Amino acid sequence: MRRNFGAKPYTYPQPVFIVATYGPDGTPNAMNAAWGGISDTAELSLCLSAGHKTTKNILERKAFTVSMADAAHVVECDYLGVVSANDVSGKAARAGFHTTKSEFVDAPLIDELAMAVECRLVSYDPQTGRLVGEIVNVSVDESVLTPDGRVDVAKLAPIVFDPVNGAYHRLGEKVGNAFQDGLKLK
């Protein structure tokens, strides 16, 4: 038997993205955002309200980075979601994060988070909060790569948001091979 919960943003998994920008004075800023994902082969979409300092920075600078939050930095990443840059300046630094300017966009990379998608602003709809970025580069720290140069998800240890229970979970074990295992049923 199923139980109805009504219209809720309950989907699994919800990645925990850390969206980083520069403020008008060049100060790195970052926020925690779970409502987002790939919306085209070279496009990432996020749901960010207009009131966020991060949103204002993106609209001004036309660029942002999206890092994958990881298990080693749960506390720091959560802090970026519970404190507003509208109230606390330099919150990325207060979380203990260090940044490096992206080579590809006018936005910071968070040194402690091993994987980031670097984006240029494509569009923003203040009514819906839908922000679209063109992916211009993905940068990955070599510490989370396999010997043949692929991302080792176990080393990356990305976390996902559980909206039903208000929790973070580390991505789990491999259970199959995408676009291969289903061929058994052909």
Side-chain angles (χ1 to χ4, degrees), residues 13-182:
Q14 287 190 11
V16 180
F17 289 148
I18 303 302
V19 182
T21 63
Y22 285 122
D25 65 355
T27 301
N29 175 57
M31 72 173 284
N32 179 320
W35 292 356
I38 299 300
S39 50
D40 202 346
T41 56
E43 183 179 277
L44 186 137
S45 294
L46 299 165
C47 184
L48 300 179
S49 68
H52 289 294
K53 176 80 168 139
T54 302
T55 305
K56 294 169 190 166
N57 291 345
I58 293 169
L59 294 175
E60 183 174 310
R61 296 277 185 146
K62 310 292 188 221
F64 58 100
T65 63
V66 178
S67 294
M68 308 306 115
D70 63 29
H73 299 96
V74 170
V75 171
E76 296 90 338
C77 291
D78 190 57
Y79 173 79
L80 297 176
V82 297
V83 173
S84 171
N86 288 320
D87 302 323
V88 177
S89 90
K91 75 176 189 172
R94 286 178 186 238
F97 286 135
H98 302 88
T99 61
T100 302
K101 185 176 183 340
S102 163
E103 295 176 47
F104 299 91
V105 297
D106 186 19
L109 294 165
I110 297 175
D111 299 340
E112 290 79 8
L113 301 177
M115 183 173 179
V117 179
E118 301 166 58
C119 298
R120 269 190 221 109
L121 177 65
V122 171
S123 64
Y124 180 68
D125 182 343
Q127 297 294 83
T128 64
R130 183 169 186 244
L131 184 139
V132 179
E134 173 194 7
I135 299 169
V136 297
N137 187 52
V138 176
S139 61
V140 182
D141 190 277
E142 291 180 356
S143 67
V144 300
L145 296 179
T146 62
D148 65 348
R150 295 177 184 228
V151 174
D152 182 331
V153 73
K155 290 179 183 176
L156 181 63
I159 58 174
V160 294
F161 175 58
D162 171 355
V164 176
N165 299 295
Y168 297 115
H169 295 269
R170 180 183 183 148
L171 278 183
E173 66 184 279
K174 179 180 174 182
V175 297
N177 297 297
F179 310 110
Q180 293 177 29
D181 291 351

